[in-house]
Amino acid sequence: MVLILGVSAGAGGARAVLTHSDQPHLSPLDRAQVPRRAGGPVEEPVLTAIHRMREAALARDECVTGTAVTCRSELHAEAIRAAAGQSDIDIVDEPLAQLRYLRFTGLLPDADSVILYDLGCSGLTVTHADCRTDAILASRRSTVPSGDGYDTLVRWRLARGGVDADARTSRAHREALSQARVVTATDTDTGGRAVVTRSDLADLCAAGLRHSASFVRQVTEETGRRPGALVLLGGCSRSPNLRAGLAELIGLPIVYDPEPEYVSARGAVLLATHRPSSRLRMPRLRTGTALAPRDGPQRPGRRKLLAAVAVTAALGGTVAGLLGTQDSSAWPREPGTVPTQHTEDSAN
């Protein structure tokens, strides 16, 4: 049997799935979630996850024939490559893995572009991706909202009810509200009890949700293209309230995988290429440029078209004035829009 290992690396740790090369959508033969140690390097949980999954394969009298790790940060990719040494692993751009898996499962809509809304423990990454070329049109990151931030709000809500909970317990209660409408927390020291409902969580997260909707609008205004859908990724998108709120605030069709936190690792399985020291990267388009569709004929770029017009104008001497006044770099923005604060292209 051909076993492939897909791993996703992020600020919160690593997730891994071990499966057959043509079955990334089915229940994996094994999986692992390795949290990142406080203050520890990002490559540490990745290598731990790889080691565990390779041992699991050996226990089945099989071996892993391909391993791919998704990264969003170039810094993380370099650290993982250096730590892996001579190990045969592929480093993959995370949005590329996400798109490949969504296309494989049929979840990717028939649209020119989509917004990848990836909400993890350390923040939100919004990527506007071209579905025809698998290219990044724009990508921005914000630490508001974040899973860690939501956990802090739940911890504060419990404290108001007389229950002192640590960060891990607060996260467990928040995640439980993705399935249950009510959770009851107990203080192990005092015996105090507090109830938190799904509606309470929605109220706590409302401000962050509105901020993220504004963030999505900012990215789409930057590219000047309306996406065909909003793809929800990351463990935090398991919340039904978050999905309903985003659908109302943004007004785009919602695409959601039942295990959004494993989409990247499953996509890595599809991109494991068995080539040592390879890096599968997505092209990044500047606003107003275009690439030929995947496996399609090359189209002339916008600059080449303008250059051809300029040559024609010079020869004919009739349209030089028009070219002199043309501005092809500006994209219209809706009146009254104000950019939000963000950090660009940082890690998960």
Side-chain angles (χ1 to χ4, degrees), residues 106-124:
L107 289 174
L108 193 66
D110 184 16
D112 288 345
S113 66
V114 294
I115 292 289
L116 303 176
Y117 180 103
D118 195 342
L119 182 56
C121 66
S122 64
L124 169 68

Side-chain angles (χ1 to χ4, degrees), residues 53-346:
M53 293 296 93
R54 287 179 174 173
E55 284 192 333
L58 289 174
R60 303 170 60 90
D61 292 327
E62 298 178 280
C63 65
V64 176
T65 58
T67 301
V69 180
T70 70
C71 293
R72 193 176 295 274
S73 162
E74 182 67 28
L75 185 63
H76 286 179
E78 292 177 356
I80 293 169
R81 171 62 67 205
Q86 299 300 316
S87 296
D88 184 4
I89 67 172
D90 298 316
I91 305 295
V92 181
D93 275 354
E94 188 168 43
L96 179 60
Q98 293 165 346
L99 285 176
R100 289 295 176 87
Y101 181 71
L102 294 168
R103 185 176 291 117
F104 176 84
T105 57
L107 289 174
L108 193 66
D110 184 16
D112 288 345
S113 66
V114 294
I115 292 289
L116 303 176
Y117 180 103
D118 195 342
L119 182 56
C121 66
S122 64
L124 169 68
T125 303
V126 174
T127 303
H128 195 172
D130 189 302
C131 299
R132 300 167 303 167
T133 61
D134 284 349
I136 294 176
L137 302 173
S139 183
R140 295 290 180 268
R141 183 167 175 81
S142 173
T143 55
V144 180
S146 69
D148 289 345
Y150 288 159
D151 295 343
T152 300
L153 291 173
V154 171
R155 189 174 184 178
W156 171 81
R157 174 66 176 78
L158 292 175
R160 289 187 60 189
V163 171
D164 185 17
D166 58 20
R168 180 175 296 181
T169 302
S170 300
R171 170 159 295 189
H173 290 318
R174 174 180 63 79
E175 292 176 345
L177 287 171
S178 297
Q179 302 294 329
R181 293 186 175 275
V182 179
V183 296
T184 301
T186 303
D187 192 312
T188 55
D189 294 330
T190 66
R193 295 164 67 87
V195 173
V196 182
T197 68
R198 189 178 288 175
S199 296
D200 293 333
L201 181 61
D203 292 339
L204 293 172
C205 301
L209 192 66
R210 289 192 297 269
H211 172 85
S212 73
S214 176
F215 204 55
V216 170
R217 287 192 290 270
Q218 179 187 352
V219 171
T220 56
E221 288 165 4
E222 177 184 336
T223 62
R225 293 172 57 177
R226 178 172 175 79
L230 183 72
V231 182
L232 302 185
L233 303 160
C236 293
S237 64
R238 281 182 173 269
S239 168
N241 291 92
L242 181 141
R243 300 198 296 272
L246 286 173
E248 181 179 354
L249 288 169
I250 297 177
L252 290 173
I254 298 296
V255 174
Y256 173 73
D257 184 85
E259 290 188 318
E261 66 273 34
Y262 279 97
V263 167
S264 298
R266 293 178 187 274
V269 169
L270 293 170
L271 291 169
T273 59
H274 318 295
R275 293 193 307 269
S277 304
S278 66
R279 176 80 195 275
L280 298 175
R281 305 189 63 179
M282 296 180 74
R284 295 175 180 263
L285 301 185
R286 294 182 179 179
T287 303
T289 61
L291 287 181
R294 292 172 295 106
D295 300 325
Q298 183 68 34
R299 295 179 179 177
R302 185 181 183 89
R303 291 185 178 180
K304 290 184 178 181
L305 290 175
L306 291 178
V309 174
V311 171
T312 303
L315 292 175
T318 59
V319 293
L322 292 176
L323 289 175
T325 59
Q326 184 179 4
D327 180 7
S328 62
S329 62
W331 285 89
R333 292 182 181 269
E334 294 181 5
T337 58
V338 179
T340 58
Q341 293 293 323
H342 62 268
T343 56
E344 182 173 353
D345 296 334
S346 58

